[in-house]
Amino acid sequence: MASDNEDIKHVLGLSGGRDSAALAVYMRQNHPEFDIEYFFTDTGKELPEVYEFLGRLEGFLGKTILRLNPERDFDYWLKQFNNFLPSPQTRWCTRQLKLRPFELWLKPVLASGKIVNSYVAIRSDEEYREGYRGKHPNMKTILPFKEAGIDKNGVIDILNSSGLGMPKYYSWRSRSGCTFCFYQQKIEWVRLKELHPEAFEEAQGYEKNAQEHGSPFTWNEGETLDQLTSPERIVQIKKDYEERLTKAKLKMVPNPLRSSSCQIDNDDLFGESKGCLTCHK
């Protein structure tokens, strides 16, 4: 890993998720010689648990996490895209609310001739993932977890041993990012309705507005939020989830040396999404 000097700016993006937080802890513990600037791109549509976790992480790091705010909010870009909801096919939310503020922040730094080392929390067990690759030749993406062979269990161990533990929303949701993220599983939409009804109602409002304007997309493919949260559908979704969880537990081989190996989250049950690395790590 490159040494520190004044011609290099070190940055590490935090999503409010498990992996990027663990990377921040890892870099502080293993590379204190780097003056890393930690940043969080705030869409204004995050879970309250995300902000709480970032506050605790700031306490551990001993420095403020820079908040990058998009120059235009979600509602503005929704109108620019003809009120069509973002989707796995058209992820304009990531482009405009996450990547654009990041690029604008670093543009003058890169223009000055500095090298920017961007540390990204891709684990050693994520062969299919790649970090953000900027077009500027001075923009360098570094993957410390891959270099060190740190996998998912290793990430959980880092957070637990630091005293931070997992973000609280991992008890019911497998990702950070916007409250209405289209990568959520059906059971996570149900839990959003139960735990954060105001955020769920906002998502419903966006969906109904999009449909009125001819959008072909709903937040959950093939099913509106109204349909997904009808009483009988909620019962079925919870039943399906419990059955899937039971099967996963029966197949699991516990590792007595790792308490984290006994934990099953929604990524284990449904498979990890390959999209929106910027939002969810």
Side-chain angles (χ1 to χ4, degrees), residues 113-131:
K114 275 194 173 185
I115 292 173
V116 174
N117 284 349
S118 177
Y119 300 91
V120 180
I122 297 178
R123 307 186 310 260
S124 63
D125 56 341
E126 295 181 301
E127 293 301 325
Y128 57 86
R129 288 196 188 276
E130 291 184 2

Side-chain angles (χ1 to χ4, degrees), residues 253-266:
V253 180
N255 182 344
L257 300 180
R258 283 184 181 271
S259 59
S260 60
S261 69
C262 299
Q263 300 173 352
I264 298 177
D265 59 30
N266 286 350

Side-chain angles (χ1 to χ4, degrees), residues 78-97:
L78 182 63
K79 290 178 181 178
Q80 296 304 303
F81 285 89
N82 299 314
N83 291 287
F84 278 30
L85 295 177
S87 70
Q89 293 76 33
T90 56
R91 297 202 306 266
W92 58 256
C93 51
T94 304
R95 173 73 250 171
Q96 303 299 340
L97 299 176

Side-chain angles (χ1 to χ4, degrees), residues 2-244:
S3 60
D4 194 26
N5 68 63
E6 61 183 16
D7 293 323
I8 298 177
K9 183 179 181 67
H10 302 271
V11 301
L12 195 160
L14 298 160
S15 68
R18 173 189 62 206
D19 292 3
S20 60
L23 181 59
V25 172
Y26 176 85
M27 294 301 293
R28 183 184 183 279
Q29 292 177 332
N30 292 275
H31 294 282
E33 71 276 13
F34 293 165
D35 182 19
I36 297 176
E37 190 155 9
Y38 303 95
F39 68 92
F40 170 66
T41 308
D42 190 354
T43 66
K45 302 294 184 181
E46 319 285 339
L47 290 166
E49 295 98 317
V50 167
Y51 299 114
E52 183 273 338
F53 185 65
L54 289 173
R56 290 196 288 119
L57 182 57
E58 281 183 325
F60 178 87
L61 296 173
K63 63 193 309 183
T64 300
I65 296 170
L66 176 67
R67 264 65 167 181
L68 300 180
N69 296 104
E71 55 186 341
R72 305 285 190 177
D73 63 12
F74 179 85
D75 291 345
Y76 170 84
W77 288 111
L78 182 63
K79 290 178 181 178
Q80 296 304 303
F81 285 89
N82 299 314
N83 291 287
F84 278 30
L85 295 177
S87 70
Q89 293 76 33
T90 56
R91 297 202 306 266
W92 58 256
C93 51
T94 304
R95 173 73 250 171
Q96 303 299 340
L97 299 176
K98 290 289 186 178
L99 294 179
R100 181 180 171 84
F102 173 65
E103 291 169 347
L104 289 175
W105 173 47
L106 291 179
K107 186 176 181 179
V109 177
L110 292 167
S112 73
K114 275 194 173 185
I115 292 173
V116 174
N117 284 349
S118 177
Y119 300 91
V120 180
I122 297 178
R123 307 186 310 260
S124 63
D125 56 341
E126 295 181 301
E127 293 301 325
Y128 57 86
R129 288 196 188 276
E130 291 184 2
Y132 168 80
R133 302 289 179 181
K135 296 179 182 179
H136 198 286
N138 284 358
M139 184 75 182
K140 312 296 182 184
T141 299
I142 300 174
L143 310 176
F145 284 162
K146 281 210 169 190
E147 293 176 7
I150 295 173
D151 60 8
K152 180 178 178 179
N153 280 329
V155 160
I156 295 172
D157 286 346
I158 288 171
L159 289 178
N160 287 338
S161 63
S162 72
L164 280 171
M166 297 281 281
K168 291 179 181 178
Y169 62 80
Y170 273 90
S171 65
W172 63 274
R173 196 181 196 234
S174 60
R175 60 192 70 255
S176 54
C178 295
T179 55
F180 43 68
C181 178
F182 44 77
Y183 280 115
Q184 289 181 102
Q185 299 296 330
K186 296 181 189 295
I187 187 64
E188 293 173 330
W189 280 109
V190 170
R191 289 169 173 171
L192 180 67
K193 178 179 173 63
E194 294 172 343
L195 297 171
H196 297 286
E198 300 87 357
F200 183 84
E201 288 172 9
E202 181 182 46
Q204 274 183 311
Y206 282 130
E207 186 176 73
K208 289 176 181 177
N209 176 67
Q211 289 181 308
E212 290 170 1
H213 286 83
S215 173
F217 304 120
T218 52
W219 289 123
N220 198 276
E221 187 175 0
E223 192 171 25
T224 68
L225 293 184
D226 282 347
Q227 293 168 335
L228 188 149
T229 54
S230 66
E232 61 276 9
R233 186 72 179 104
I234 288 177
V235 170
Q236 185 61 51
I237 289 171
K238 288 185 174 181
K239 181 175 180 290
D240 292 344
Y241 172 77
E242 290 301 328
E243 289 176 353
R244 189 184 285 258

